[in-house]
Coordinates of all heavy atoms in Angstrom, one line a residue:
M280 N -4.9 11.7 20.7 CA -4.2 10.6 20.3 C -4.7 10.0 19.0 O -5.8 10.1 18.7 CB -4.4 9.5 21.5 CG -3.8 8.1 21.2 SD -4.0 7.0 22.6 CE -3.2 5.7 21.9
L281 N -3.8 9.5 18.2 CA -4.1 9.0 16.9 C -4.7 7.7 17.0 O -4.1 6.7 17.5 CB -2.9 9.0 15.9 CG -3.2 8.6 14.5 CD1 -4.1 9.5 13.9 CD2 -1.8 8.6 13.8
T282 N -5.8 7.4 16.4 CA -6.5 6.1 16.3 C -6.7 5.8 14.8 O -6.5 6.5 14.0 CB -8.0 6.2 17.0 OG1 -8.9 7.0 16.2 CG2 -7.9 6.6 18.5
K283 N -7.0 4.5 14.6 CA -7.3 4.0 13.3 C -8.3 4.8 12.6 O -8.2 5.1 11.5 CB -7.5 2.5 13.3 CG -6.4 1.7 13.7 CD -6.6 0.2 13.6 CE -7.5 -0.3 14.7 NZ -7.6 -1.8 14.6
E284 N -9.4 5.0 13.3 CA -10.5 5.8 12.7 C -10.2 7.2 12.5 O -10.6 7.8 11.5 CB -11.7 5.6 13.6 CG -12.3 4.3 13.7 CD -12.8 3.7 12.4 OE1 -13.3 4.5 11.6 OE2 -12.5 2.5 12.2
N285 N -9.4 7.9 13.3 CA -9.0 9.3 13.2 C -8.2 9.4 12.0 O -8.3 10.3 11.1 CB -8.2 9.8 14.4 CG -9.0 10.1 15.6 OD1 -10.2 9.9 15.5 ND2 -8.4 10.2 16.7
L286 N -7.3 8.4 11.7 CA -6.4 8.4 10.6 C -7.2 8.3 9.4 O -7.0 9.1 8.3 CB -5.3 7.3 10.7 CG -4.5 7.0 9.4 CD1 -3.7 8.4 9.1 CD2 -3.4 5.9 9.6
L287 N -8.1 7.4 9.3 CA -8.9 7.3 8.1 C -9.8 8.6 7.9 O -9.9 9.0 6.7 CB -10.0 6.1 8.3 CG -10.8 5.7 7.1 CD1 -10.1 5.5 5.8 CD2 -11.8 4.6 7.4
S288 N -10.3 9.3 8.8 CA -11.0 10.5 8.7 C -10.0 11.6 8.1 O -10.6 12.3 7.3 CB -11.5 11.0 10.0 OG -12.5 10.1 10.5
V289 N -8.9 11.7 8.6 CA -7.9 12.6 8.0 C -7.6 12.4 6.6 O -7.7 13.3 5.8 CB -6.6 12.8 8.9 CG1 -5.6 13.7 8.2 CG2 -6.9 13.3 10.3
I290 N -7.4 11.2 6.2 CA -7.1 10.8 4.9 C -8.3 11.1 4.0 O -8.1 11.6 2.9 CB -6.6 9.3 4.8 CG1 -5.3 9.2 5.4 CG2 -6.6 8.9 3.3 CD1 -4.7 7.8 5.4
S291 N -9.5 10.8 4.5 CA -10.8 11.1 3.7 C -10.9 12.6 3.5 O -11.1 13.0 2.3 CB -11.9 10.5 4.6 OG -13.1 10.9 3.9
F292 N -10.6 13.4 4.5 CA -10.9 14.8 4.5 C -9.9 15.4 3.5 O -10.1 16.1 2.6 CB -10.7 15.4 5.8 CG -10.7 17.0 5.8 CD1 -12.0 17.5 5.6 CD2 -9.5 17.8 5.9 CE1 -12.0 18.9 5.6 CE2 -9.6 19.1 5.8 CZ -10.9 19.7 5.7
V293 N -8.5 15.0 3.5 CA -7.4 15.5 2.7 C -7.7 15.2 1.3 O -7.5 15.9 0.3 CB -6.1 15.1 3.3 CG1 -4.9 15.6 2.3 CG2 -5.8 15.8 4.6
S294 N -8.0 13.9 1.0 CA -8.1 13.4 -0.4 C -9.4 13.8 -0.9 O -9.7 13.7 -2.2 CB -8.1 11.8 -0.3 OG -9.2 11.2 0.3
G295 N -10.4 14.2 -0.1 CA -11.8 14.5 -0.7 C -12.6 13.3 -1.0 O -13.6 13.5 -1.7
L296 N -12.2 12.1 -0.7 CA -13.0 11.0 -0.9 C -13.6 10.4 0.3 O -13.1 10.5 1.5 CB -12.0 9.8 -1.4 CG -11.2 10.2 -2.6 CD1 -10.2 9.2 -2.9 CD2 -12.1 10.2 -4.0
P297 N -14.9 9.9 0.2 CA -15.7 9.5 1.4 C -15.0 8.2 2.0 O -14.4 7.5 1.2 CB -17.1 9.2 0.9 CG -16.9 9.2 -0.6 CD -15.7 9.9 -1.0
E298 N -15.1 8.2 3.4 CA -14.5 7.0 4.0 C -15.1 5.7 3.6 O -14.3 4.7 3.3 CB -14.8 7.2 5.5 CG -14.0 8.2 6.2 CD -14.2 8.2 7.8 OE1 -14.5 7.2 8.4 OE2 -14.1 9.4 8.2
N299 N -16.3 5.6 3.3 CA -16.8 4.3 2.8 C -16.3 4.0 1.4 O -16.1 2.8 1.1 CB -18.3 4.3 2.7 CG -19.0 5.4 1.9 OD1 -18.3 6.3 1.4 ND2 -20.3 5.2 1.5
A300 N -15.9 5.0 0.6 CA -15.4 4.7 -0.8 C -13.9 4.1 -0.6 O -13.4 3.2 -1.1 CB -15.3 5.9 -1.6
I301 N -13.2 4.7 0.5 CA -11.8 4.3 0.7 C -11.9 2.8 1.3 O -11.0 2.1 1.1 CB -11.0 5.3 1.6 CG1 -10.9 6.7 1.0 CG2 -9.7 4.7 2.1 CD1 -10.4 7.8 1.9
R302 N -12.8 2.6 2.1 CA -13.0 1.3 2.8 C -13.4 0.2 1.7 O -13.2 -1.0 2.0 CB -14.0 1.3 3.8 CG -13.6 2.0 5.2 CD -14.7 1.8 6.1 NE -14.4 2.6 7.3 CZ -13.9 2.1 8.4 NH1 -13.6 0.8 8.6 NH2 -13.7 2.8 9.5
S303 N -13.9 0.6 0.6 CA -14.5 -0.4 -0.3 C -13.4 -1.2 -1.0 O -12.2 -1.0 -0.8 CB -15.4 0.3 -1.4 OG -14.4 1.0 -2.3
Q304 N -13.8 -2.2 -1.7 CA -12.9 -3.0 -2.5 C -12.6 -2.5 -3.8 O -11.9 -3.1 -4.6 CB -13.4 -4.4 -2.7 CG -13.5 -5.2 -1.2 CD -12.3 -5.3 -0.5 OE1 -11.3 -5.7 -1.1 NE2 -12.2 -5.0 0.8
N305 N -13.1 -1.3 -4.1 CA -12.9 -0.6 -5.4 C -11.4 -0.4 -5.7 O -10.6 -0.1 -4.8 CB -13.6 0.7 -5.3 CG -13.6 1.4 -6.8 OD1 -12.7 1.4 -7.5 ND2 -14.8 1.9 -7.1
R306 N -11.0 -0.7 -6.9 CA -9.6 -0.7 -7.3 C -9.1 0.5 -8.0 O -8.1 0.6 -8.6 CB -9.1 -1.9 -8.0 CG -9.2 -3.2 -7.0 CD -8.7 -4.3 -7.9 NE -8.8 -5.6 -7.0 CZ -8.5 -6.7 -7.4 NH1 -8.1 -7.0 -8.5 NH2 -8.6 -7.7 -6.6
A307 N -10.0 1.6 -7.9 CA -9.7 2.9 -8.6 C -8.4 3.4 -8.0 O -8.2 3.3 -6.8 CB -10.8 3.9 -8.4
R308 N -7.4 3.9 -8.8 CA -6.1 4.3 -8.4 C -6.2 5.2 -7.2 O -5.5 5.0 -6.2 CB -5.5 4.9 -9.6 CG -3.9 5.3 -9.1 CD -3.1 5.6 -10.4 NE -1.9 6.1 -10.1 CZ -0.8 5.4 -9.8 NH1 -1.0 4.0 -9.7 NH2 0.4 5.8 -9.5
G309 N -7.0 6.1 -7.2 CA -7.0 7.1 -6.1 C -7.4 6.5 -4.7 O -6.9 6.8 -3.8
L310 N -8.3 5.6 -4.8 CA -8.8 4.8 -3.7 C -7.7 3.9 -3.1 O -7.5 3.8 -2.0 CB -10.1 4.0 -3.9 CG -11.3 4.9 -4.3 CD1 -12.5 4.1 -4.6 CD2 -11.6 5.9 -3.1
V311 N -7.1 3.2 -4.0 CA -5.9 2.3 -3.7 C -4.8 3.1 -3.1 O -4.3 2.7 -2.1 CB -5.6 1.5 -4.9 CG1 -4.2 0.7 -4.6 CG2 -6.5 0.5 -5.4
L312 N -4.5 4.3 -3.7 CA -3.4 5.1 -3.1 C -3.7 5.5 -1.7 O -2.9 5.7 -0.9 CB -3.1 6.2 -4.0 CG -2.4 5.8 -5.3 CD1 -2.1 7.1 -6.2 CD2 -1.0 5.1 -5.1
C313 N -5.0 5.9 -1.4 CA -5.4 6.4 -0.1 C -5.2 5.2 0.9 O -4.8 5.4 2.0 CB -6.9 6.8 -0.1 SG -7.1 8.4 -0.8
R314 N -5.6 3.9 0.5 CA -5.5 2.8 1.4 C -4.0 2.5 1.6 O -3.6 2.3 2.7 CB -6.1 1.6 0.8 CG -7.7 1.6 0.8 CD -8.3 0.3 0.5 NE -8.2 -0.1 -0.9 CZ -9.1 0.4 -1.8 NH1 -10.2 1.0 -1.4 NH2 -9.0 -0.2 -3.1
H315 N -3.2 2.6 0.5 CA -1.7 2.4 0.7 C -1.1 3.4 1.8 O -0.3 3.2 2.5 CB -1.0 2.5 -0.6 CG -1.2 1.4 -1.5 ND1 -1.5 0.1 -1.1 CD2 -1.0 1.4 -2.9 CE1 -1.4 -0.6 -2.2 NE2 -1.2 0.0 -3.3
A316 N -1.5 4.8 1.5 CA -1.1 5.8 2.4 C -1.5 5.5 3.8 O -0.7 5.7 4.8 CB -1.6 7.3 1.9
Y317 N -2.7 5.1 4.1 CA -3.2 4.7 5.4 C -2.3 3.7 5.9 O -1.9 3.9 7.1 CB -4.7 4.2 5.3 CG -5.2 3.7 6.6 CD1 -5.9 4.6 7.4 CD2 -4.9 2.5 7.1 CE1 -6.4 4.2 8.6 CE2 -5.3 2.1 8.4 CZ -6.1 2.8 9.2 OH -6.5 2.5 10.4
Y318 N -2.0 2.6 5.3 CA -1.2 1.5 5.8 C 0.2 2.1 6.2 O 0.8 1.7 7.3 CB -1.0 0.4 4.8 CG -2.2 -0.3 4.5 CD1 -2.6 -0.8 3.2 CD2 -3.2 -0.8 5.5 CE1 -3.7 -1.4 2.9 CE2 -4.3 -1.5 5.2 CZ -4.5 -1.8 3.9 OH -5.7 -2.6 3.7
F319 N 0.7 2.9 5.3 CA 2.2 3.4 5.5 C 2.2 4.3 6.8 O 3.1 4.1 7.5 CB 2.5 4.1 4.3 CG 3.8 4.7 4.2 CD1 5.1 4.0 4.1 CD2 4.1 6.2 4.5 CE1 6.3 4.5 4.1 CE2 5.4 6.7 4.7 CZ 6.5 5.9 4.4
I320 N 1.2 5.3 6.8 CA 1.3 6.2 7.9 C 1.0 5.5 9.1 O 1.6 5.8 10.3 CB 0.3 7.4 7.6 CG1 0.8 8.2 6.4 CG2 0.1 8.2 8.9 CD1 -0.2 9.3 5.9
A321 N 0.0 4.6 9.2 CA -0.3 3.8 10.4 C 0.9 3.0 10.9 O 1.2 3.0 12.1 CB -1.5 2.9 10.2
R322 N 1.6 2.5 10.0 CA 2.8 1.7 10.3 C 4.0 2.5 10.9 O 4.6 2.2 11.8 CB 3.3 0.9 9.2 CG 4.5 -0.1 9.5 CD 4.7 -1.1 8.5 NE 5.7 -2.1 8.9 CZ 6.4 -2.8 8.2 NH1 6.3 -2.8 6.9 NH2 7.2 -3.6 8.7
Q323 N 4.2 3.7 10.3 CA 5.2 4.6 10.7 C 4.9 5.4 12.1 O 5.8 5.6 12.8 CB 5.4 5.7 9.7 CG 5.9 5.2 8.2 CD 7.2 4.4 8.3 OE1 8.1 4.9 9.0 NE2 7.3 3.4 7.7
N324 N 3.6 5.5 12.3 CA 3.3 6.4 13.5 C 2.4 5.8 14.7 O 2.2 6.5 15.6 CB 2.5 7.6 12.9 CG 3.2 8.5 12.0 OD1 4.0 9.3 12.4 ND2 3.0 8.4 10.6
M325 N 1.8 4.6 14.4 CA 0.9 4.2 15.4 C 1.5 3.0 16.3 O 0.9 2.7 17.3 CB -0.4 3.8 14.8 CG -1.1 4.9 14.2 SD -2.6 4.7 13.4 CE -3.7 4.2 14.8
G326 N 2.5 2.3 15.8 CA 3.1 1.2 16.6 C 2.2 0.0 16.7 O 2.3 -0.7 17.7
L327 N 1.3 -0.2 15.8 CA 0.4 -1.3 15.7 C 1.0 -2.5 15.0 O 1.9 -2.4 14.1 CB -1.0 -0.9 15.0 CG -1.7 0.2 15.6 CD1 -2.9 0.5 14.7 CD2 -2.3 -0.2 17.0
K328 N 0.4 -3.6 15.3 CA 0.8 -4.9 14.5 C 0.3 -4.8 13.2 O -0.7 -4.1 13.0 CB 0.4 -6.1 15.2 CG 0.9 -6.4 16.6 CD 0.4 -7.6 17.2 CE 1.0 -7.8 18.6 NZ 0.4 -9.0 19.2
L329 N 1.0 -5.4 12.2 CA 0.5 -5.3 10.8 C -1.0 -5.9 10.7 O -1.8 -5.2 9.9 CB 1.4 -6.2 9.9 CG 2.8 -5.6 9.8 CD1 3.7 -6.6 9.1 CD2 2.9 -4.2 9.2
A330 N -1.3 -6.9 11.3 CA -2.7 -7.4 11.2 C -3.7 -6.3 11.7 O -4.9 -6.3 11.2 CB -2.8 -8.6 11.9
E331 N -3.4 -5.7 12.7 CA -4.2 -4.6 13.3 C -4.5 -3.5 12.4 O -5.5 -2.9 12.2 CB -3.7 -4.1 14.7 CG -3.6 -5.1 15.8 CD -2.9 -4.5 17.0 OE1 -1.9 -3.9 16.9 OE2 -3.5 -4.8 18.2
I332 N -3.4 -3.1 11.6 CA -3.5 -2.1 10.7 C -4.4 -2.5 9.6 O -5.3 -1.8 9.1 CB -2.1 -1.7 10.1 CG1 -1.3 -1.1 11.2 CG2 -2.2 -0.7 8.9 CD1 0.2 -0.9 10.9
G333 N -4.3 -3.7 9.1 CA -5.2 -4.2 8.0 C -6.5 -4.4 8.4 O -7.4 -4.5 7.4
E334 N -6.9 -4.5 9.7 CA -8.3 -4.8 10.0 C -9.3 -3.8 9.5 O -10.4 -4.1 9.2 CB -8.4 -4.8 11.6 CG -7.9 -6.1 12.2 CD -7.9 -6.0 13.7 OE1 -8.1 -4.9 14.3 OE2 -7.7 -7.1 14.4
V335 N -8.9 -2.6 9.4 CA -9.7 -1.5 9.0 C -10.3 -1.8 7.7 O -11.5 -1.4 7.4 CB -9.0 -0.1 9.0 CG1 -9.9 1.0 8.5 CG2 -8.6 0.3 10.4
F336 N -9.5 -2.4 6.8 CA -10.0 -2.7 5.4 C -10.2 -4.1 5.2 O -10.4 -4.6 4.0 CB -8.9 -2.1 4.4 CG -8.8 -0.6 4.5 CD1 -7.6 -0.1 5.0 CD2 -9.8 0.2 4.0 CE1 -7.4 1.2 5.2 CE2 -9.7 1.7 4.2 CZ -8.4 2.0 4.7
G337 N -10.1 -5.0 6.2 CA -10.3 -6.4 6.0 C -9.1 -7.0 5.3 O -9.2 -8.0 4.6
A338 N -7.9 -6.4 5.4 CA -6.8 -6.9 4.8 C -5.8 -7.7 5.8 O -5.9 -7.5 7.0 CB -6.0 -5.9 4.2
D339 N -5.0 -8.6 5.3 CA -4.0 -9.3 6.2 C -2.7 -8.6 6.2 O -2.5 -7.6 5.5 CB -4.0 -10.8 5.8 CG -3.4 -10.9 4.4 OD1 -2.8 -10.0 3.9 OD2 -3.3 -12.1 4.0
H340 N -1.9 -9.0 7.1 CA -0.5 -8.4 7.3 C 0.3 -8.4 5.9 O 1.1 -7.4 5.7 CB 0.2 -9.1 8.3 CG 0.7 -10.5 7.9 ND1 0.0 -11.6 7.9 CD2 2.0 -10.9 7.6 CE1 0.7 -12.6 7.5 NE2 2.0 -12.2 7.3
T341 N 0.1 -9.4 5.0 CA 0.8 -9.3 3.8 C 0.5 -8.1 2.9 O 1.3 -7.5 2.2 CB 0.8 -10.6 3.0 OG1 -0.5 -10.9 2.8 CG2 1.5 -11.8 3.9
T342 N -0.8 -7.8 3.0 CA -1.3 -6.7 2.1 C -0.7 -5.3 2.7 O -0.2 -4.5 1.9 CB -2.8 -6.6 2.2 OG1 -3.4 -7.8 1.6 CG2 -3.3 -5.3 1.5
V343 N -0.6 -5.2 4.0 CA 0.0 -4.0 4.7 C 1.5 -4.0 4.3 O 1.9 -2.8 3.8 CB -0.2 -4.1 6.2 CG1 0.4 -2.9 6.8 CG2 -1.7 -4.1 6.5
I344 N 2.2 -5.0 4.3 CA 3.6 -5.0 4.0 C 3.8 -4.6 2.5 O 4.6 -3.7 2.2 CB 4.3 -6.4 4.2 CG1 4.3 -6.7 5.6 CG2 5.7 -6.5 3.5 CD1 4.7 -8.2 5.9
H345 N 3.0 -5.3 1.6 CA 3.0 -4.8 0.1 C 2.7 -3.3 -0.1 O 3.4 -2.6 -0.9 CB 2.2 -5.7 -0.7 CG 2.0 -5.4 -2.1 ND1 3.1 -5.6 -3.0 CD2 1.0 -4.7 -2.8 CE1 2.7 -5.1 -4.1 NE2 1.5 -4.5 -4.1
S346 N 1.7 -2.9 0.6 CA 1.3 -1.5 0.5 C 2.3 -0.5 0.9 O 2.6 0.4 0.3 CB 0.0 -1.2 1.2 OG -1.1 -1.9 0.7
C347 N 2.9 -0.8 2.1 CA 4.0 0.1 2.5 C 5.2 0.1 1.7 O 5.8 1.1 1.3 CB 4.4 -0.4 4.0 SG 3.2 -0.2 5.3
Q348 N 5.5 -1.0 1.0 CA 6.6 -1.0 0.2 C 6.3 -0.3 -1.2 O 7.1 0.4 -1.7 CB 7.0 -2.5 -0.3 CG 8.3 -2.7 -1.0 CD 9.5 -2.1 -0.4 OE1 9.8 -2.4 0.8 NE2 10.2 -1.2 -1.0
T349 N 5.1 -0.5 -1.7 CA 4.6 0.3 -2.8 C 4.7 1.8 -2.5 O 5.2 2.5 -3.4 CB 3.1 0.0 -3.1 OG1 3.2 -1.4 -3.4 CG2 2.7 0.8 -4.4
V350 N 4.3 2.3 -1.3 CA 4.5 3.7 -1.0 C 5.9 4.2 -1.0 O 6.3 5.2 -1.6 CB 3.8 4.0 0.3 CG1 4.2 5.4 0.8 CG2 2.3 3.8 0.2
K351 N 6.8 3.4 -0.4 CA 8.2 3.7 -0.4 C 8.8 3.8 -1.8 O 9.6 4.7 -2.1 CB 9.0 2.7 0.5 CG 8.7 2.7 1.9 CD 9.5 1.6 2.6 CE 9.2 1.6 4.1 NZ 9.8 0.5 4.8
D352 N 8.4 2.8 -2.7 CA 8.9 2.9 -3.9 C 8.4 4.0 -4.7 O 9.2 4.7 -5.5 CB 8.5 1.6 -4.7 CG 9.2 0.4 -4.2 OD1 10.1 0.5 -3.5 OD2 8.6 -0.8 -4.5
L353 N 7.1 4.4 -4.6 CA 6.5 5.6 -5.2 C 7.3 6.9 -4.8 O 7.4 7.8 -5.5 CB 5.0 5.7 -5.2 CG 4.2 4.7 -6.0 CD1 2.8 4.7 -5.6 CD2 4.3 5.2 -7.5
M354 N 7.5 6.9 -3.5 CA 8.1 8.1 -2.9 C 9.5 8.3 -3.5 O 10.0 9.4 -3.5 CB 8.1 8.0 -1.4 CG 6.8 8.2 -0.8 SD 6.7 7.9 1.1 CE 7.5 9.5 1.6
D355 N 10.2 7.2 -3.7 CA 11.6 7.2 -4.3 C 11.6 7.7 -5.7 O 12.5 8.3 -6.2 CB 12.2 5.9 -4.2 CG 12.6 5.5 -2.8 OD1 12.7 6.3 -2.0 OD2 12.8 4.2 -2.7
T356 N 10.4 7.5 -6.5 CA 10.5 7.7 -7.9 C 9.5 9.0 -8.3 O 9.7 9.4 -9.4 CB 10.0 6.4 -8.6 OG1 8.7 6.1 -8.3 CG2 10.9 5.3 -8.5
D357 N 8.6 9.3 -7.4 CA 7.6 10.3 -7.8 C 7.7 11.4 -6.7 O 7.1 11.3 -5.7 CB 6.3 9.7 -8.0 CG 5.2 10.7 -8.3 OD1 5.3 11.9 -8.3 OD2 4.1 10.2 -8.8
S358 N 8.2 12.6 -7.0 CA 8.4 13.7 -6.0 C 7.1 14.2 -5.6 O 6.9 14.6 -4.4 CB 9.4 14.7 -6.6 OG 8.8 15.4 -7.7
I359 N 6.1 14.3 -6.5 CA 4.9 14.8 -6.2 C 4.1 13.9 -5.1 O 3.6 14.3 -4.2 CB 4.0 15.1 -7.4 CG1 4.6 16.3 -8.3 CG2 2.6 15.5 -7.0 CD1 4.1 16.4 -9.6
F360 N 4.2 12.6 -5.4 CA 3.6 11.7 -4.5 C 4.3 11.7 -3.1 O 3.7 11.7 -2.1 CB 3.7 10.3 -5.1 CG 3.1 9.2 -4.2 CD1 1.7 9.1 -4.2 CD2 3.8 8.4 -3.4 CE1 1.1 8.0 -3.4 CE2 3.3 7.4 -2.6 CZ 1.9 7.3 -2.6
R361 N 5.7 11.8 -3.1 CA 6.4 11.9 -1.8 C 6.0 13.1 -1.0 O 5.6 13.1 0.1 CB 7.9 12.0 -2.2 CG 8.7 12.1 -0.9 CD 10.2 12.1 -1.2 NE 10.6 13.2 -2.0 CZ 11.1 13.0 -3.2 NH1 11.2 11.8 -3.7 NH2 11.5 13.9 -4.0
E362 N 5.8 14.3 -1.7 CA 5.3 15.6 -1.1 C 3.9 15.4 -0.5 O 3.6 15.8 0.6 CB 5.4 16.7 -2.1 CG 6.8 17.2 -2.4 CD 6.8 18.2 -3.4 OE1 5.8 18.8 -3.8 OE2 7.9 18.4 -4.1
N363 N 3.0 14.7 -1.3 CA 1.7 14.5 -0.8 C 1.7 13.6 0.4 O 0.9 13.9 1.4 CB 0.9 13.9 -1.9 CG 0.5 14.8 -3.1 OD1 0.6 16.0 -2.9 ND2 0.2 14.3 -4.2
V364 N 2.5 12.5 0.5 CA 2.5 11.7 1.6 C 3.1 12.4 2.8 O 2.6 12.3 4.0 CB 3.3 10.4 1.3 CG1 3.5 9.5 2.5 CG2 2.5 9.5 0.3
M365 N 4.1 13.2 2.6 CA 4.8 13.9 3.7 C 3.7 14.9 4.3 O 3.6 15.1 5.4 CB 5.9 14.6 3.2 CG 7.1 13.6 2.8 SD 7.5 12.3 4.0 CE 8.2 13.2 5.2
E366 N 3.0 15.6 3.5 CA 2.1 16.6 3.8 C 0.9 15.9 4.5 O 0.5 16.4 5.6 CB 1.4 17.3 2.7 CG 0.5 18.3 3.0 CD -0.2 19.0 1.8 OE1 0.4 18.9 0.7 OE2 -1.4 19.5 1.9
L367 N 0.5 14.8 4.0 CA -0.6 14.0 4.7 C -0.1 13.6 6.1 O -0.9 13.6 7.1 CB -1.0 12.8 3.8 CG -2.1 12.0 4.3 CD1 -3.4 12.7 4.7 CD2 -2.4 10.9 3.4
T368 N 1.1 13.2 6.2 CA 1.7 12.6 7.5 C 1.7 13.8 8.5 O 1.3 13.5 9.6 CB 3.1 12.1 7.3 OG1 3.1 10.9 6.4 CG2 3.7 11.6 8.6
Q369 N 2.1 15.0 8.0 CA 2.1 16.1 9.0 C 0.7 16.5 9.4 O 0.5 16.9 10.6 CB 2.7 17.3 8.2 CG 4.2 17.2 8.0 CD 4.8 18.4 7.1 OE1 4.0 19.1 6.4 NE2 6.1 18.6 7.2
K370 N -0.3 16.4 8.5 CA -1.6 16.7 9.0 C -2.2 15.7 9.9 O -2.9 16.0 10.9 CB -2.5 16.8 7.7 CG -2.3 18.0 6.9 CD -3.2 18.2 5.7 CE -2.8 19.5 5.0 NZ -3.7 19.7 3.8
V371 N -1.7 14.5 9.7 CA -2.2 13.4 10.6 C -1.6 13.6 12.0 O -2.3 13.5 13.0 CB -1.9 12.0 10.1 CG1 -1.9 11.0 11.2 CG2 -2.7 11.7 8.9
Q372 N -0.4 14.0 12.0 CA 0.3 14.2 13.3 C -0.3 15.5 14.0 O -0.4 15.4 15.2 CB 1.9 14.4 13.1 CG 2.5 13.1 12.7 CD 4.0 13.2 12.3 OE1 4.4 14.4 11.9 NE2 4.7 12.2 12.3
L373 N -0.6 16.4 13.3 CA -1.3 17.6 13.9 C -2.7 17.2 14.4 O -3.1 17.8 15.5 CB -1.4 18.8 12.9 CG -0.1 19.5 12.6 CD1 -0.3 20.5 11.4 CD2 0.5 20.2 13.7
A374 N -3.4 16.4 13.6 CA -4.7 16.0 14.1 C -4.6 15.1 15.4 O -5.6 15.1 16.1 CB -5.4 15.3 13.0
A375 N -3.5 14.5 15.5 CA -3.4 13.7 16.8 C -3.1 14.4 18.1 O -3.2 13.9 19.1 CB -2.2 12.6 16.5
M376 N -2.8 15.8 17.9 CA -2.4 16.5 19.1 C -3.6 16.9 19.8 O -4.7 17.0 19.5 CB -1.6 17.7 18.7 CG -0.3 17.3 18.1 SD 0.5 18.8 17.5 CE 2.2 18.4 18.1

């Protein structure tokens, strides 16, 4: 079963970035995109409330909404980003089995 912690572990593993760096408030693009991807995948696959998703990073529901919209917009305009998110989603779903 997919949990919030499992999702973070998979994203950390795939991205090659440590979990504590992804959890940090650092605004480096790679870390921000990992957090955005976490929010997006959690919202699509876990059935959690927005506030529950944001708890992992100390974010509120509006941050989760904004991040999910950012991912959708990037997926519409950047095919490489879209492929990366889709691949990450597949790996998360496999890890949940």
Side-chain angles (χ1 to χ4, degrees):
M280 179 174 179
L281 184 61
T282 66
K283 294 186 282 187
E284 292 303 319
N285 291 350
L286 175 56
L287 183 59
S288 295
V289 171
I290 290 175
S291 173
F292 178 77
V293 171
S294 69
L296 298 170
E298 286 183 33
N299 63 341
I301 297 171
R302 284 183 191 263
S303 74
Q304 297 298 313
N305 189 317
R306 294 185 180 178
R308 182 166 174 80
L310 296 174
V311 170
L312 290 176
C313 285
R314 288 191 289 270
H315 286 338
Y317 175 95
Y318 295 139
F319 180 80
I320 293 169
R322 186 164 187 205
Q323 299 295 319
N324 295 287
M325 297 178 70
L327 298 172
K328 294 180 182 178
L329 296 172
E331 292 174 320
I332 294 169
E334 284 176 350
V335 172
F336 300 107
D339 65 12
H340 72 283
T341 59
T342 300
V343 176
I344 292 169
H345 172 74
S346 295
C347 290
Q348 188 58 52
T349 299
V350 169
K351 288 177 187 176
D352 292 345
L353 281 171
M354 288 175 71
D355 288 343
T356 59
D357 185 341
S358 61
I359 294 172
F360 182 78
R361 180 178 55 250
E362 289 173 17
N363 289 337
V364 171
M365 298 307 291
E366 179 182 343
L367 183 56
T368 301
Q369 289 174 344
K370 288 182 180 182
V371 165
Q372 290 171 342
L373 287 174
M376 295 178 138

